Amino acid sequence: MTEKDFSLRLARLREAKGISARDMSLSMGQNPGYINNIESGKSMPSLSGLFYICEYLKISPKDFFDTEAENPSKANELYSVAKSLDDEQLDNLISIAKGLQK
């Protein structure tokens, strides 16, 4: 993932949550332009900054870098529910999901 890809990914994930860059920055205890600077490519977060960003977005770093998942927090929610289902229920859920892909 390039720096530009990183910036775009952050912006997409933030926007999917309906949060402004300024509000996210302030909620994380950073200056108002922190997230905007990352999204515009002016700076990159430290490793601990990445962890705080992921924590704020309620995703894992793995989810952040999994660009195939458009909304990883929703996928994680579905996975959490699916873990408690029996085999028949899982088969039904898989069928529904496959039907939705068409």
Side-chain angles (χ1 to χ4, degrees):
M1 175 178 280
T2 65
E3 287 182 15
K4 183 176 181 177
D5 294 334
F6 184 95
S7 299
L8 291 172
R9 178 70 170 164
L10 175 57
R12 284 188 191 115
L13 292 171
R14 177 186 56 74
E15 290 168 357
K17 294 269 189 187
I19 304 161
S20 73
R22 184 178 193 282
D23 287 346
M24 183 174 172
S25 297
L26 294 173
S27 295
M28 293 175 56
Q30 299 293 329
N31 69 61
Y34 177 71
I35 296 297
N36 188 51
N37 286 339
I38 295 169
E39 290 180 356
S40 67
K42 292 179 183 174
S43 64
M44 291 295 288
S46 64
L47 185 55
S48 62
L50 172 63
F51 291 146
Y52 286 129
I53 288 168
C54 290
E55 183 178 319
Y56 181 85
L57 295 171
K58 296 183 174 131
I59 60 173
S60 70
K62 177 188 174 294
D63 293 330
F64 185 92
F65 291 103
D66 180 6
T67 56
E68 290 180 20
E70 286 295 318
N71 194 333
S73 59
K74 293 280 187 187
N76 287 337
E77 183 179 355
L78 178 60
Y79 178 68
S80 179
V81 170
K83 289 191 294 186
S84 65
L85 302 178
D86 63 31
D87 283 347
E88 182 180 348
Q89 292 168 321
L90 285 170
D91 288 339
N92 290 334
L93 183 59
I94 291 167
S95 294
I96 292 168
K98 285 181 178 179
L100 291 172
Q101 284 180 323
K102 296 179 182 177

